[in-house]
């Protein structure tokens, strides 16, 4: 019989099942089913864990009737505590430090059920964990007893400093987990804000790439260029007409297209220019057709 710490916890054994190195440097793993955990009002006691087992077994039957399966977990036991992990991803679901475990027992009426009570580090509430161990509950109990025995011997050898160091390390590990969870949440919020900012910058119904607007016939509307205003020459005379390009494009019949902007008086021969001047003078005074003069004055109202 061993008395461990200041708690009334006794272990009766003939010989321990595992080597000290296995629990001190490594851990002992068991594949079990996790029924869950529930809050209890006492840190120890057989009747306390029996009530917790009955409560969680009742919840187990309800889940089975609803088609839910009892989750399988991996139980790791060492001198530092008891861990409950996901068997595939190895993600730690619960980390119960050994100095926070106040009671553990196996059900004598059901060889598969194993329980332990641990004080939660955040809420300081006592939680009873219940596991289905496939008829090896007594072995798990003895393994935890051996872990307590080795931890207590190490505590005596170190004068209590080792326990305080483990407490600090456990607190730092918990702080790191909290910071990692907070960092992950902040990253998600930042991603949502970036998406909202991109939506706010893009007007509704418009695409990210710039596109020239078109009319109902999907054609680019005509936009007249600013007219060219000739600048006066330095001597005050009219500016010369714009020079024609060296190569002039011709139409279907080989004729040069008419360009009113480049056409001037100097473009016509003298005889044609004189005829044009006479025609313009005739239009000013009146129009003669076969000796008959038609007045173009709109005030007279007659020809």
């Amino acid at each position: 019989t061993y008395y461990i710490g200041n708690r009334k916890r006794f272990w009766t054994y003939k010989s321990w099942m595992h080597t000290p190195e296995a629990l001190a440097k490594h851990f002992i793993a068991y594949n079990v089913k996790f029924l869950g955990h529930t809050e209890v009002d006492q840190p120890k006691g057989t009747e306390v864990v029996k009530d917790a087992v009955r409560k969680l077994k009742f919840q187990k039957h309800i889940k089975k009737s609803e088609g839910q399966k009892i989750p399988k977990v991996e139980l790791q036991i060492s001198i530092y505590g008891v861990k409950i992990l996901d068997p595939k991803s190895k993600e730690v679901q619960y980390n119960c430090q050994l100095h926070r475990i106040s009671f553990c027992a196996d059900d004598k009426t059901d060889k598969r059920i194993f329980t332990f009570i641990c004080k939660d580090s955040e809420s300081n509430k006592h939680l009873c964990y219940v596991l289905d161990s496939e008829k090896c509950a007594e072995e798990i109990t003895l393994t935890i007893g051996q872990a307590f025995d080795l931890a207590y011997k190490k505590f005596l050898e170190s004068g209590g400093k080792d326990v305080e160091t483990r407490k600090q390390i456990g607190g730092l590990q918990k702080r790191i987990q909290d910071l990692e969870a907070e960092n992950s949440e902040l990253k998600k919020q930042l991603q949502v804000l970036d998406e909202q900012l991109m939506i706010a910058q893009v007007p509704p119904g418009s695409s990210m790439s710039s596109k020239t607007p078109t009319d109902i016939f999907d054609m680019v509307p005509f936009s007249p260029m600013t007219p060219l205003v000739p600048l006066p020459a330095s001597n005050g005379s009219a500016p010369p007409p714009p020079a024609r390009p060296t190569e002039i494009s011709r139409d279907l019949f080989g004729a040069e297209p008419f360009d009113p902007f480049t056409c001037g008086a100097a473009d016509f021969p003298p005889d044609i220019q004189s005829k044009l001047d006479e025609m313009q003078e005739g239009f000013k005074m009146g129009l003669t057709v076969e000796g008959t003069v038609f007045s173009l004055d709109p005030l007279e109202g007659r020809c």
Side-chain angles (χ1 to χ4, degrees):
T1 303
Y2 274 80
Y3 178 80
I4 303 207
N6 57 358
R7 301 184 181 90
K8 292 182 180 180
R9 188 186 298 108
F10 298 91
W11 306 98
T12 302
Y13 74 103
K14 295 181 179 179
S15 62
W16 293 123
M17 302 179 61
H18 310 286
T19 61
E21 290 78 11
L23 288 167
K25 297 182 180 180
H26 304 283
F27 56 83
I28 305 300
Y30 295 93
N31 292 321
V32 297
K33 293 182 180 180
F34 184 46
L35 274 67
H37 63 78
T38 183
E39 183 181 353
V40 293
D41 54 358
Q42 297 293 329
K44 59 184 178 180
T46 305
E47 294 300 323
V48 175
V49 296
K50 281 184 177 180
D51 292 339
V53 170
R54 282 194 293 265
K55 180 179 179 180
L56 292 175
K57 276 187 174 182
F58 179 73
Q59 295 180 0
K60 171 186 175 183
H61 293 308
I62 293 177
K63 291 180 180 179
K64 276 191 173 182
S65 64
E66 295 176 350
Q68 300 181 21
K69 295 183 178 180
I70 306 301
K72 295 181 179 180
V73 297
E74 180 178 320
L75 189 71
Q76 294 183 359
I77 302 172
S78 68
I79 63 172
Y80 302 105
V82 177
K83 292 182 180 180
I84 299 176
L85 302 88
D86 183 272
K88 293 182 180 179
S89 63
K90 302 300 179 181
E91 179 183 358
V92 179
Q93 298 177 354
Y94 300 96
N95 185 11
C96 304
Q97 297 177 354
L98 203 65
H99 68 276
R100 290 186 173 274
I101 297 177
S102 57
F103 186 84
C104 68
D106 54 280
D107 193 346
K108 300 303 179 183
T109 60
D110 190 348
K111 298 297 183 180
R112 300 177 305 174
I113 300 301
F114 164 77
T115 63
F116 67 91
I117 299 176
C118 179
K119 188 176 182 180
D120 187 65
S121 59
E122 294 182 356
S123 63
N124 285 330
K125 296 180 180 179
H126 292 93
L127 303 178
C128 182
Y129 294 79
V130 180
L131 302 103
D132 188 339
S133 57
E134 295 295 335
K135 299 182 179 181
C136 61
E138 185 177 1
E139 180 182 339
I140 296 176
T141 305
L142 292 175
T143 302
I144 292 183
Q146 184 180 0
F148 269 109
D149 180 62
L150 293 172
Y152 183 63
K153 289 180 178 179
K154 193 172 183 181
F155 170 77
L156 295 177
E157 292 173 359
S158 62
K161 295 180 180 179
D162 188 62
V163 175
E164 294 299 326
T165 302
R166 288 204 304 271
K167 286 183 179 179
Q168 294 178 1
I169 293 175
L172 291 175
Q173 290 176 346
K174 182 66 171 60
R175 179 60 177 164
I176 290 173
Q177 291 178 358
D178 294 340
L179 290 175
E180 288 178 350
E182 184 179 356
N183 187 31
S184 177
E185 184 65 24
L186 290 175
K187 285 183 178 180
K188 292 179 181 179
Q189 294 180 4
L190 183 61
Q191 184 177 2
V192 172
L193 290 176
D194 288 340
E195 293 175 356
Q196 293 178 353
L197 183 61
M198 292 179 64
I199 295 174
Q201 290 178 348
V202 179
S206 64
S207 60
M208 296 298 293
S209 59
S210 58
K211 185 179 179 181
T212 305
T214 57
D215 57 12
I216 59 174
F217 301 104
D218 198 22
M219 299 182 66
V220 178
F222 173 72
S223 178
M225 297 177 60
T226 305
L228 299 176
V229 179
L231 298 176
S234 58
N235 56 2
S237 60
R244 290 190 176 185
T246 306
E247 294 183 3
I248 302 176
S249 59
R250 299 179 180 273
D251 59 11
L252 183 62
F253 302 99
E256 296 181 5
F258 175 72
D259 188 355
F261 297 101
T262 59
C263 180
D267 295 329
F268 301 100
D271 54 345
I272 296 177
Q273 185 63 42
S274 61
K275 290 288 185 181
L276 290 174
D277 294 340
E278 291 178 1
M279 292 174 64
Q280 290 178 359
E281 188 67 25
F283 275 112
K284 292 180 182 179
M285 302 301 296
L287 181 63
T288 304
V289 179
E290 293 183 357
T292 304
V293 177
F294 296 89
S295 175
L296 297 179
D297 188 356
L299 296 178
E300 296 183 4
R302 59 184 178 82
C303 293

